[in-house]
Amino acid sequence: MEGERELDEIILVLRMSLAHLNELELEMDLLMKDMEIIDKLKKITDIFPDSEKDRVKAKEFFDKRLNINTAKTKMENLLFMVTKPCSLLELSMEKVVEVNITREELPKTLELKVLEWPTKKIENTRKKLFIIDQHNFDELNFIIG
């Protein structure tokens, strides 16, 4: 199924991007700790006067940190929406198709559901692809650069 393959590839890219964002977040946390140490040294020694340039750099840093946090949250939410487990019925339909159980072995109420499953699965995949398409990741590309 082409749609499922496309969805799997997108999910893989999102997971890799999320891992990259987590790394950036950790690096920025370490930089923030270094900045806190420098700030304490400045206060103790009064050697370095505060400058507008320092304030601008600090604001840019914290803005970027906020952007990364926002992008990470959006990505986590999107991944949850497109990878969350289906209903128990849908999971069982998938298993019935996977192990190739014959219709005669199924209860009559389940038989109709199994027949409808391929169409339902395609519909679910399309919905997930639509959800992904609705998200704008231009800002993420800018952040990750």
Side-chain angles (χ1 to χ4, degrees), residues 15 78-87 91 128 131:
R15 286 183 172 151
L78 176 61
L79 276 169
F80 175 76
M81 285 190 287
V82 298
T83 62
K84 68 182 175 185
C86 302
S87 69
L91 291 172
K128 290 176 181 182
I131 289 169

Side-chain angles (χ1 to χ4, degrees), residues 11-137:
I11 289 171
L12 179 62
V13 168
L14 288 172
R15 286 183 172 151
M16 290 178 0
S17 297
L18 184 59
H20 184 68
L21 284 175
N22 284 329
E23 289 173 15
L24 284 173
E25 190 175 46
L26 288 172
E27 289 174 16
M28 292 189 89
D29 285 346
L30 291 173
L31 285 172
M32 281 178 31
K33 288 179 183 173
D34 290 344
M35 288 172 61
E36 289 171 7
I37 291 169
I38 291 169
D39 190 48
K40 287 178 183 175
L41 285 173
K42 284 182 185 179
K43 287 179 183 175
I44 292 171
T45 61
D46 279 332
I47 294 174
F48 305 105
D50 278 340
S51 70
E52 184 63 27
K53 187 177 178 181
D54 289 339
R55 283 191 282 281
V56 168
K57 282 185 179 181
K59 183 181 179 336
E60 288 173 357
F61 177 84
F62 288 109
D63 286 347
K64 186 142 185 146
R65 178 70 172 81
L66 179 63
N67 289 341
I68 287 173
N69 193 1
T70 302
K72 181 180 163 195
T73 300
K74 285 180 181 181
M75 191 170 296
E76 287 170 338
N77 289 336
L78 176 61
L79 276 169
F80 175 76
M81 285 190 287
V82 298
T83 62
K84 68 182 175 185
C86 302
S87 69
L88 185 55
L89 177 64
E90 291 173 345
L91 291 172
S92 62
M93 291 299 102
E94 187 67 31
K95 199 49 122 173
V96 165
V97 171
E98 185 181 309
V99 287
N100 209 13
I101 295 176
T102 63
R103 290 187 354 213
E104 292 79 30
E105 297 176 72
L106 297 171
K108 292 294 178 197
T109 55
L110 196 56
E111 185 178 342
L112 180 60
K113 301 266 186 215
V114 170
L115 292 174
E116 296 171 347
W117 175 243
T119 305
K120 178 78 171 158
K121 186 174 181 179
I122 291 169
E123 183 182 312
N124 288 343
T125 300
R126 286 183 181 151
K127 284 179 185 176
K128 290 176 181 182
L129 288 169
F130 178 77
I131 289 169
I132 291 169
D133 285 343
Q134 294 304 303
H135 286 76
N136 181 359
F137 287 105

